[in-house]
Amino acid sequence: MDEALRQREGGAPGSGREERGMPPERPRPMPSQALGRFDGASRRRPRDPRRARTPAWRRAAVFGAALALAGYAIEEMWRALAVGHLTPVAVAVLALFAVNFAWISLPLVTSLVGFARVVTRRREGAPADRPLRTRTALLLPTYNEDPARVAAALEAMGRDLAARGAGRAFDLFLLSDTTRGDVALAELEAVRLLRRRLEGAVRVFYRRRARNVAHKPGNIRDFCERWGGAYDHLLVLDADSLMDGATLVALAQRMEDDPDAGLIQTLPRLHRGTTLLARVQQFAGSVYGALLGDGLAWWTGSEGNFWGHNAILRTEAFLACAGLPVLPGEPPFGGFILSHDFVEAALLRRGGWKVTIAADLAGSYEEGPSSILDLAVRDRRWCQGNLQHARVLGAKGLHWLSRLHFVAGIMSYLSSPIWLLFVISALALGVQYESARQQYFSHVQTLFPLWPRIDPERAVRLFALTLGVLFGPKVLGFLSVVVRPGRRRAHGGLLLATLGFALEVVVSALIAPIQALIHCGLVADVLRGRSSGWRAQRREGASLAWPEALRAHRWHALVGLALALVAWSISWQMAAWLAPAALGLVLAAPLSKLVASGAVGRAVRRAGLLRTPEETRTPPIARAVELVLPAYRAALAETPDLASVVEDPRLLQRHLALTDRAPSGGGGAFDPVEAVAEKKIREAGTVAEAIAALTFEERGRVQARPALLRLLATVRARAERRADAGASGAASWWGLPRPQLDLPVDARDLG
């Protein structure tokens, strides 16, 4: 873009202050943190040391129990294998079993703690009856999401805050990184309607970055560095997040009451699921996830974690401690940090701030993926981000629990390849036991052959123990529903809760091997150096076509068939052991289509199965969203296209009023996308011709740059001027007066 155009980007945004997209800037620095060095003397001292520390006995009890359980299982496996000659393959089986069992032991112990807390809790947390003294910016980053639903959620939250007398304590910000031009235009219409509907209740602001540098963390950082100085707290949401006013106020009050709190994370509950998979996830989150979250909150204490949304942060702490560095090298392990939340939590704790989980606050909601393929899209980014944490794991000054959170995130994806290696090793061990006759005698002189054997009684006991540890959290979650009358009624009563529990176990067991193989592929992609990028998540359920399902799962079916054949060739016992995994893989395509079906999901809901408290009694905040959503759908259906905007001075001025003036993410550097777009606009004869010549990316960039948008608006004036010149020449030839044109365009843009 040429210098004249760059200078014009600082022009007046609109006719009045109320029409501006954002409030006046209050810049604050957010320095990038060094991972290779840390001065412990710079760590902040807590104002209340007693509240800032978590009792050591909690961690000792939880980790002691998990290690004891894992140690017992590993010893049993060793004794079962050591009956005969311990071959290298048997050693590999033992090592892989040890890693897998240690990984699943901690969730069981955490669920036991959560069970005790959930069944003894008398009521959920609630805000105190006092006004807020601080100001909070509620930030909703969006990236090519449905503007109608996003705006409806913001309106519902804004009205709930205003009804509780907290409207002046919160400002709502829609922070867009949208790249699609049509979605960006709809966002502007949604914001204008949202402002009219919330006028006088709570302030609404909008900012769209021209380039989504560093993705969501870059979006939040841009806000912090430009407007962070005006707010005490930042309450970060996702595009599918929803929180009721009571929870929002309670989070702000807890920040006010605890000066050492740097971050408070809620436990979002899944809702609005329409497909079978989404309903299974909702049920699991409500029944089992509640126990895991509550137990985790208990033993992590001040060293909790951040999941990137539905959490409140202290602005002072976030700016001073959580500026993310750019990792050296190329993606996938270098570059911008994708899974930013774990790293930000670790840096906040390193700086001396508490990071806690508010397990007692109930009014926090989000939506889940609707199909296995949608899960894979989300997991691709998460997998790369979590494996990237291997570069952060050794950062100086981190608390050991922060490092454990990193390890847990890495293992959430590496556990699948480890499981696959364990299965392959077990098959190899079976083959060895059946066919390795030439290894019966060793080099040691002996009268008897060294038969490869395994202790069958120990093997059966170990199998039962492993199943107990795997399904223990599910059973505990189900018992927590059964023993509490309120939870039992909220899940449909004893019969429906039991049937739902059985359905969830069957569906989860069948799709687990499919997800495990998907994770293996994702890990392999990252290790091969393939970066995921950042794709918008599909929120609404959509039916999966057979060709897509067969194409996506063809290799899973072949692996399942091969697994079954190899296991059967070894022994019927081996085939029986692997039957659930093999069956799920062979049926991967029909299973994927089944769980992605909205019709099946609705049928299950009508039957009362997989019911959650949010379905038994819809939260008022969710009802409020559905009530106002049609108004936004109707209004956004009339969104003017880009040609209409640039050809109508009123629409153009309205658009420019909400357009960010700063060259976000670009500074003054040369931008080839903008340069090409400018050239195409200058060479076009009409507005339609210019828009048709612009690529998808160029069109979105033009809408985000006031100078380029004004230049596009001059295309019509230039065409009329050329026509005028031609008419004037003809008029001069015939001796007629020259026509005068009143152009509705700023004369500065007629270059």
Side-chain angles (χ1 to χ4, degrees), residues 20 101-102 121 166 181 250 273 446 525 625 687:
R20 296 177 61 172
F101 204 95
R121 178 174 293 131
T446 176
D525 270 355
V625 173
V687 171

Side-chain angles (χ1 to χ4, degrees), residues 29-108:
M30 189 175 182
S32 297
Q33 300 300 303
L35 301 180
R37 63 182 186 277
F38 179 72
D39 182 6
S42 66
R43 181 181 288 116
R44 174 184 175 276
R45 294 179 179 273
R47 296 189 188 179
D48 189 344
R50 289 180 302 175
R51 291 178 62 188
R53 288 195 300 267
T54 303
W57 65 266
R58 294 186 183 181
R59 282 105 184 241
V62 169
F63 284 98
L67 288 174
L69 181 60
Y72 171 75
I74 294 168
E75 183 184 16
E76 286 292 292
M77 174 61 92
W78 178 78
R79 291 183 181 278
L81 295 173
V83 171
H85 180 53
L86 203 61
T87 65
V89 177
V91 172
V93 169
L94 178 61
L96 292 167
F97 173 83
V99 175
N100 272 325
F101 204 95
W103 168 244
I104 64 176
S105 296
L106 187 58
L108 175 63

Side-chain angles (χ1 to χ4, degrees), residues 411-454:
M411 279 299 298
S412 64
Y413 290 96
L414 286 187
S415 59
S416 292
I418 292 172
W419 168 82
L420 183 61
L421 289 173
F422 173 72
V423 170
I424 293 172
S425 300
L427 289 173
L429 190 63
V431 170
Q432 185 183 70
Y433 282 178
E434 293 295 323
S435 60
R437 307 294 182 185
Q438 72 277 13
Q439 296 182 9
Y440 287 164
F441 293 91
S442 71
H443 64 280
V444 180
Q445 297 295 324
T446 176
L447 296 176
F448 302 100
L450 299 175
W451 301 100
R453 291 181 295 141
I454 189 169

Side-chain angles (χ1 to χ4, degrees), residues 45 54 98 136 157 159 172 226 231 389 487 506 530 567 637 642 722:
R45 294 179 179 273
T54 303
T136 300
M157 289 185 279
R159 289 195 182 281
L172 310 185
R226 297 171 63 188
Y231 297 94
H389 289 165
R487 281 174 62 82
V506 171
R530 296 178 59 183
L642 181 56
R722 284 195 294 269

Side-chain angles (χ1 to χ4, degrees), residues 334-413:
F336 296 113
I337 296 176
L338 292 185
S339 293
H340 57 98
D341 37 19
F342 281 36
V343 181
E344 288 161 347
L347 293 175
L348 283 170
R349 194 67 193 100
R350 182 176 78 165
W353 296 94
K354 291 168 57 177
V355 177
T356 59
I357 299 173
D360 61 320
L361 293 179
S364 178
Y365 309 97
E366 65 174 330
E367 300 172 28
S370 59
S371 71
I372 293 176
L373 299 186
D374 290 327
L375 267 175
V377 170
R378 186 190 68 178
D379 281 343
R380 178 60 183 86
R381 184 176 72 245
W382 286 7
C383 177
Q384 179 176 334
N386 284 15
L387 294 183
Q388 210 179 26
H389 289 165
R391 301 280 303 277
V392 187
L393 191 58
K396 302 295 184 182
L398 298 185
H399 193 278
W400 68 271
L401 267 184
S402 297
R403 301 186 200 277
L404 182 64
H405 292 314
F406 289 141
V407 171
I410 293 170
M411 279 299 298
S412 64
Y413 290 96

Side-chain angles (χ1 to χ4, degrees), residues 289-329:
L291 270 61
L292 281 168
D294 225 310
L296 189 67
W298 183 78
W299 65 260
T300 57
S302 300
E303 286 76 38
N305 210 349
F306 180 32
W307 297 312
H309 57 92
N310 293 44
I312 192 169
L313 304 98
R314 190 178 301 276
T315 309
E316 172 193 357
F318 193 64
L319 290 171
C321 303
L324 296 180
V326 177
L327 298 178

